[in-house]
């Protein structure tokens, strides 16, 4: 796993083979971040990474200058890996919440400029995530939702765009 651009560009982190989480591919990550550059200035933004997995998106957000990045990950080993990666970057503007994303979304009172969610594609409640995440989005903020191709959110009132890169699909909400 590598950081695509920003102050930590090119940094590599070896994801343990035992991990169940699959990091968003470099190709998909690079392309969706290129699209996001037209929507949001990451410099000084508050960002939330739901289902953080390996921390690939969180690390990219830190590298791009976000003032604050909050990662939410339930798996203990994945959370520990994210913590270790952030420690290697020696940055202090990261918070790691080890816990259930749905509980976090229900209890969180903070709002964010940018939210990214990459749940397990087989999650039975995957289609509920946009409606639960969007209240955490600041006015003018962007929510990027990674999902399998069988989902179509184009009828959602806050949907603005869909992008597909290979088997990776992103729905973008405002």
């Amino acid at each position: 796993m590598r950081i695509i651009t920003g102050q930590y560009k090119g940094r590599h982190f070896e994801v343990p083979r035992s991990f169940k989480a699959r990091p968003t591919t470099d190709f998909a990550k690079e392309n969706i971040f290129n699209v996001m550059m037209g929507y949001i200035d990451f410099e000084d933004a508050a960002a939330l990474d739901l289902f953080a997995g390996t921390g690939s998106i969180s690390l990219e957000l830190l590298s791009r200058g976000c003032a604050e990045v909050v990662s939410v990950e339930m798996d203990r080993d994945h959370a520990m890996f994210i913590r270790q990666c952030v420690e290697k970057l020696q940055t202090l503007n990261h918070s790691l919440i080890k816990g259930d994303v749905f509980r976090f979304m229900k209890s969180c009172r903070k709002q964010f400029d940018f939210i990214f969610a990459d749940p397990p594609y087989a999650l039975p409640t995957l289609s509920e995530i946009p409606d639960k995440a969007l209240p955490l989005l600041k006015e003018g903020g962007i929510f990027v939702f990674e999902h399998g191709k069988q989902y179509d959110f184009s009828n959602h009132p806050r949907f603005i765009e869909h992008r597909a890169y290979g088997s990776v699909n992103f729905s973008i909400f405002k």
Side-chain angles (χ1 to χ4, degrees):
M1 174 178 82
R2 74 179 173 97
I3 298 176
I4 303 293
T5 199
Q7 69 184 43
Y8 306 118
K9 178 181 179 175
R11 294 284 300 265
H12 285 265
F13 300 90
E14 198 62 41
V15 178
R17 292 182 188 268
S18 61
F19 275 22
K20 299 174 289 250
R22 38 143 188 79
T24 302
T25 65
D26 282 354
F27 176 74
K29 182 169 62 170
E30 186 168 13
N31 280 289
I32 197 62
F33 271 97
N34 285 340
V35 171
M36 288 303 97
M37 297 306 283
Y39 286 109
I40 187 168
D41 179 7
F42 289 105
E43 192 78 27
D44 299 324
L48 174 62
D49 184 6
L50 299 171
F51 305 95
T54 62
S56 173
I57 298 299
S58 295
L59 297 173
E60 194 69 39
L61 291 165
L62 289 165
S63 185
R64 290 170 186 258
C66 286
E68 175 188 17
V69 176
V70 176
S71 305
V72 183
E73 174 54 47
M74 187 165 66
D75 184 277
R76 178 181 52 91
D77 293 335
H78 295 187
M80 192 165 45
F81 178 75
I82 293 168
R83 179 171 281 118
Q84 290 168 353
C85 291
V86 171
E87 285 172 1
K88 287 178 185 172
L89 298 180
Q90 298 178 331
T91 183
L92 301 175
N93 52 339
H94 179 261
S95 301
L96 177 63
I97 309 294
K98 190 200 151 312
D100 180 76
V101 167
F102 290 97
R103 283 190 184 138
F104 173 82
M105 289 189 292
K106 189 175 183 178
S107 65
C108 182
R109 298 295 169 244
K110 182 171 176 43
Q111 289 191 309
F112 300 87
D113 301 295
F114 181 77
I115 301 173
F116 187 93
D118 178 12
Y121 288 4
L123 187 70
T125 54
L126 186 139
S127 62
E128 300 171 14
I129 294 170
D131 287 330
K132 294 183 184 305
L134 285 165
L136 303 179
L137 196 61
K138 286 181 183 175
E139 177 91 22
I142 295 292
F143 170 48
V144 175
F145 186 41
E146 184 175 335
H147 55 82
K149 65 181 177 190
Q150 70 272 31
Y151 291 94
D152 178 7
F153 295 96
S154 60
N155 290 326
H156 192 283
R158 294 182 64 187
F159 173 87
I160 55 172
E161 187 175 348
H162 174 263
R163 295 288 177 124
Y165 305 104
S167 63
V168 181
N169 288 263
F170 297 102
S171 288
I172 305 166
F173 302 82
K174 196 165 184 148

